[in-house]
PDB file of all heavy atoms in Angstrom:
ATOM      1  N   ASP A 286      96.757-151.207 -28.404  1.00  0.00           N
ATOM      2  CA  ASP A 286      96.443-150.272 -27.320  1.00  0.00           C
ATOM      3  C   ASP A 286      97.002-150.689 -25.970  1.00  0.00           C
ATOM      4  O   ASP A 286      97.076-149.871 -25.046  1.00  0.00           O
ATOM      5  CB  ASP A 286      94.930-150.096 -27.199  1.00  0.00           C
ATOM      6  CG  ASP A 286      94.350-149.264 -28.328  1.00  0.00           C
ATOM      7  OD1 ASP A 286      95.140-148.779 -29.166  1.00  0.00           O
ATOM      8  OD2 ASP A 286      93.120-149.103 -28.377  1.00  0.00           O
ATOM      9  N   ILE A 287      97.401-151.946 -25.815  1.00  0.00           N
ATOM     10  CA  ILE A 287      97.887-152.434 -24.531  1.00  0.00           C
ATOM     11  C   ILE A 287      99.288-151.935 -24.208  1.00  0.00           C
ATOM     12  O   ILE A 287      99.725-151.959 -23.063  1.00  0.00           O
ATOM     13  CB  ILE A 287      97.866-153.984 -24.519  1.00  0.00           C
ATOM     14  CG1 ILE A 287      97.916-154.540 -23.088  1.00  0.00           C
ATOM     15  CG2 ILE A 287      99.023-154.552 -25.337  1.00  0.00           C
ATOM     16  CD1 ILE A 287      96.639-154.395 -22.345  1.00  0.00           C
ATOM     17  N   ASN A 288     100.036-151.458 -25.205  1.00  0.00           N
ATOM     18  CA  ASN A 288     101.416-151.050 -24.949  1.00  0.00           C
ATOM     19  C   ASN A 288     101.565-149.538 -24.838  1.00  0.00           C
ATOM     20  O   ASN A 288     100.641-148.778 -25.131  1.00  0.00           O
ATOM     21  CB  ASN A 288     102.373-151.622 -26.015  1.00  0.00           C
ATOM     22  CG  ASN A 288     102.262-150.923 -27.362  1.00  0.00           C
ATOM     23  OD1 ASN A 288     101.718-149.834 -27.490  1.00  0.00           O
ATOM     24  ND2 ASN A 288     102.799-151.563 -28.400  1.00  0.00           N
ATOM     25  N   THR A 289     102.740-149.122 -24.401  1.00  0.00           N
ATOM     26  CA  THR A 289     103.027-147.691 -24.314  1.00  0.00           C
ATOM     27  C   THR A 289     104.494-147.443 -24.607  1.00  0.00           C
ATOM     28  O   THR A 289     105.352-148.279 -24.310  1.00  0.00           O
ATOM     29  CB  THR A 289     102.662-147.130 -22.920  1.00  0.00           C
ATOM     30  OG1 THR A 289     102.841-145.702 -22.928  1.00  0.00           O
ATOM     31  CG2 THR A 289     103.522-147.719 -21.821  1.00  0.00           C
ATOM     32  N   TYR A 290     104.776-146.298 -25.218  1.00  0.00           N
ATOM     33  CA  TYR A 290     106.137-145.864 -25.525  1.00  0.00           C
ATOM     34  C   TYR A 290     106.054-144.390 -25.907  1.00  0.00           C
ATOM     35  O   TYR A 290     104.961-143.880 -26.185  1.00  0.00           O
ATOM     36  CB  TYR A 290     106.743-146.701 -26.658  1.00  0.00           C
ATOM     37  CG  TYR A 290     105.902-146.797 -27.906  1.00  0.00           C
ATOM     38  CD1 TYR A 290     105.945-145.823 -28.905  1.00  0.00           C
ATOM     39  CD2 TYR A 290     105.046-147.886 -28.103  1.00  0.00           C
ATOM     40  CE1 TYR A 290     105.175-145.920 -30.054  1.00  0.00           C
ATOM     41  CE2 TYR A 290     104.269-147.981 -29.251  1.00  0.00           C
ATOM     42  CZ  TYR A 290     104.345-147.001 -30.216  1.00  0.00           C
ATOM     43  OH  TYR A 290     103.568-147.094 -31.352  1.00  0.00           O
ATOM     44  N   PRO A 291     107.153-143.666 -25.920  1.00  0.00           N
ATOM     45  CA  PRO A 291     107.111-142.241 -26.264  1.00  0.00           C
ATOM     46  C   PRO A 291     106.485-142.013 -27.640  1.00  0.00           C
ATOM     47  O   PRO A 291     106.888-142.642 -28.621  1.00  0.00           O
ATOM     48  CB  PRO A 291     108.588-141.828 -26.245  1.00  0.00           C
ATOM     49  CG  PRO A 291     109.222-142.786 -25.292  1.00  0.00           C
ATOM     50  CD  PRO A 291     108.519-144.092 -25.513  1.00  0.00           C
ATOM     51  N   GLY A 292     105.495-141.135 -27.700  1.00  0.00           N
ATOM     52  CA  GLY A 292     104.841-140.841 -28.969  1.00  0.00           C
ATOM     53  C   GLY A 292     103.748-141.809 -29.343  1.00  0.00           C
ATOM     54  O   GLY A 292     103.209-141.750 -30.449  1.00  0.00           O
ATOM     55  N   LYS A 293     103.361-142.701 -28.435  1.00  0.00           N
ATOM     56  CA  LYS A 293     102.343-143.711 -28.720  1.00  0.00           C
ATOM     57  C   LYS A 293     101.020-143.080 -29.148  1.00  0.00           C
ATOM     58  O   LYS A 293     100.532-142.135 -28.532  1.00  0.00           O
ATOM     59  CB  LYS A 293     102.106-144.565 -27.464  1.00  0.00           C
ATOM     60  CG  LYS A 293     100.880-145.479 -27.522  1.00  0.00           C
ATOM     61  CD  LYS A 293     101.077-146.624 -28.495  1.00  0.00           C
ATOM     62  CE  LYS A 293      99.882-147.559 -28.489  1.00  0.00           C
ATOM     63  NZ  LYS A 293     100.086-148.712 -29.380  1.00  0.00           N
ATOM     64  N   LEU A 294     100.428-143.607 -30.226  1.00  0.00           N
ATOM     65  CA  LEU A 294      99.096-143.222 -30.663  1.00  0.00           C
ATOM     66  C   LEU A 294      98.216-144.463 -30.646  1.00  0.00           C
ATOM     67  O   LEU A 294      98.589-145.495 -31.216  1.00  0.00           O
ATOM     68  CB  LEU A 294      99.131-142.639 -32.089  1.00  0.00           C
ATOM     69  CG  LEU A 294      99.799-141.274 -32.259  1.00  0.00           C
ATOM     70  CD1 LEU A 294      99.829-140.896 -33.733  1.00  0.00           C
ATOM     71  CD2 LEU A 294      99.071-140.216 -31.450  1.00  0.00           C
ATOM     72  N   LYS A 295      97.066-144.375 -30.018  1.00  0.00           N
ATOM     73  CA  LYS A 295      96.168-145.529 -29.941  1.00  0.00           C
ATOM     74  C   LYS A 295      95.264-145.559 -31.166  1.00  0.00           C
ATOM     75  O   LYS A 295      94.072-145.284 -31.101  1.00  0.00           O
ATOM     76  CB  LYS A 295      95.366-145.490 -28.640  1.00  0.00           C
ATOM     77  CG  LYS A 295      96.228-145.712 -27.409  1.00  0.00           C
ATOM     78  CD  LYS A 295      95.405-145.885 -26.149  1.00  0.00           C
ATOM     79  CE  LYS A 295      96.277-146.215 -24.961  1.00  0.00           C
ATOM     80  NZ  LYS A 295      95.497-146.457 -23.727  1.00  0.00           N
ATOM     81  N   LEU A 296      95.870-145.920 -32.287  1.00  0.00           N
ATOM     82  CA  LEU A 296      95.155-146.053 -33.549  1.00  0.00           C
ATOM     83  C   LEU A 296      95.328-147.474 -34.066  1.00  0.00           C
ATOM     84  O   LEU A 296      96.386-148.089 -33.885  1.00  0.00           O
ATOM     85  CB  LEU A 296      95.693-145.066 -34.585  1.00  0.00           C
ATOM     86  CG  LEU A 296      95.604-143.573 -34.245  1.00  0.00           C
ATOM     87  CD1 LEU A 296      96.294-142.751 -35.325  1.00  0.00           C
ATOM     88  CD2 LEU A 296      94.149-143.151 -34.101  1.00  0.00           C
ATOM     89  N   ILE A 297      94.305-148.001 -34.730  1.00  0.00           N
ATOM     90  CA  ILE A 297      94.396-149.350 -35.277  1.00  0.00           C
ATOM     91  C   ILE A 297      95.552-149.459 -36.257  1.00  0.00           C
ATOM     92  O   ILE A 297      96.305-150.433 -36.258  1.00  0.00           O
ATOM     93  CB  ILE A 297      93.068-149.750 -35.959  1.00  0.00           C
ATOM     94  CG1 ILE A 297      91.950-149.862 -34.920  1.00  0.00           C
ATOM     95  CG2 ILE A 297      93.211-151.069 -36.706  1.00  0.00           C
ATOM     96  CD1 ILE A 297      90.578-150.115 -35.505  1.00  0.00           C
ATOM     97  N   LEU A 298      95.724-148.446 -37.100  1.00  0.00           N
ATOM     98  CA  LEU A 298      96.779-148.517 -38.104  1.00  0.00           C
ATOM     99  C   LEU A 298      98.160-148.545 -37.452  1.00  0.00           C
ATOM    100  O   LEU A 298      99.096-149.153 -37.982  1.00  0.00           O
ATOM    101  CB  LEU A 298      96.666-147.374 -39.109  1.00  0.00           C
ATOM    102  CG  LEU A 298      96.856-145.936 -38.645  1.00  0.00           C
ATOM    103  CD1 LEU A 298      98.313-145.539 -38.751  1.00  0.00           C
ATOM    104  CD2 LEU A 298      96.018-144.985 -39.498  1.00  0.00           C
TER     105      LEU A 298
END
Side-chain angles (χ1 to χ4, degrees):
D286 287 357
I287 199 74
N288 74 16
T289 185
Y290 52 85
K293 168 70 177 183
L294 290 176
K295 292 189 175 183
L296 300 175
I297 294 174
L298 65 90

